[in-house]
Amino acid sequence: RKGVEFTGEWKFNHLFRVSGSYSRMKAYTSASPGQPVDIHITPASTVGQDPDKAVLRADFTPTSYLDVDLVETHFWGMRINGQFAPTYQWNTTEYNLMNGDIVWKTPSYGTISLGCSNILNTFQIVNENGTNNTTYYAIQGRKYTVTYQITF
C-alpha cells in the first residue's frame, strides 16, 4: 500500500485543542486467496475501493489531573474486485465511529480512565461475495472500559 496523509492541529488555548487528519491509500488485492496481490483497487466509489479515512479529535484538559478526549473517525466505503464475478467482490458501506474517554490522574493513587468506543453504536454493512446481504455487520457494538494504572 502507498498513500498520503495530511494532519493539522489548532490549539485554542492551553486547555483545548482540535486536531485532524485525512488519509488516502493506493491499495492492491487479489482475485482470490492464494493468488498474487497485483490487482489495483481504483480509488473511486463507483469502480473500486475508496480507502479514505478522516479523523477529527477534540482534547480538553481543564486541570493537570483531568483530560477529556473525543475522537470522530469517518471511513469511506469500499468496493473491491468490482470488475470480477460477484463471488470475488467485497462491498462495504461508509460509516463513522466516535470514541471518547475521561482520564483522572491522582497525585498519589495512579490514573483512572473511563472510556467508550463506538459511542453512537454505529454498524458497518458488509456485502461479501456479491450478494445482496444487508444484515452482516463488521463492527462490534458500543463498548465501555474502565482502567486503573499505577506507576511506581
Side-chain angles (χ1 to χ4, degrees):
R1 293 183 184 243
K2 296 179 181 179
V4 63
E5 182 174 47
F6 299 98
T7 63
E9 177 180 77
W10 183 10
K11 292 183 180 179
F12 290 91
N13 53 43
H14 70 283
L15 303 175
F16 185 69
R17 97 183 143 125
V18 174
S19 59
S21 66
Y22 171 79
S23 304
R24 183 170 186 85
M25 295 183 299
K26 183 176 183 180
Y28 292 88
T29 188
S30 65
S32 63
Q35 297 296 313
V37 182
D38 59 355
I39 300 169
H40 176 242
I41 303 169
T42 309
S45 60
T46 58
V47 295
Q49 181 185 22
D50 208 359
D52 298 2
K53 177 175 89 168
V55 179
L56 183 63
R57 177 183 204 130
D59 291 308
F60 178 58
T61 310
T63 72
S64 61
Y65 298 109
L66 181 65
D67 184 31
V68 179
D69 187 33
L70 190 62
V71 180
E72 172 74 16
T73 305
H74 178 79
F75 297 90
W76 275 262
M78 295 186 294
R79 184 162 188 254
I80 299 176
N81 290 339
Q83 72 274 28
F84 291 102
T87 304
Y88 302 112
Q89 294 181 17
W90 178 269
N91 301 306
T92 65
T93 57
E94 61 183 81
Y95 63 99
N96 293 317
L97 283 180
M98 182 181 286
N99 302 321
D101 62 63
I102 298 172
V103 178
W104 178 259
K105 301 170 198 148
T106 66
S108 55
Y109 296 109
T111 301
I112 299 168
S113 174
L114 305 173
C116 181
S117 60
N118 198 2
I119 293 171
L120 302 176
N121 208 26
T122 300
F123 292 93
Q124 175 201 29
I125 296 173
V126 176
N127 176 358
E128 61 183 16
N129 299 331
T131 65
N132 290 321
N133 181 6
T134 58
T135 59
Y136 175 73
Y137 298 102
I139 299 175
Q140 298 176 4
R142 188 178 300 127
K143 292 184 287 188
Y144 300 96
T145 57
V146 177
T147 307
Y148 177 68
Q149 178 183 0
I150 188 164
T151 304
F152 50 92

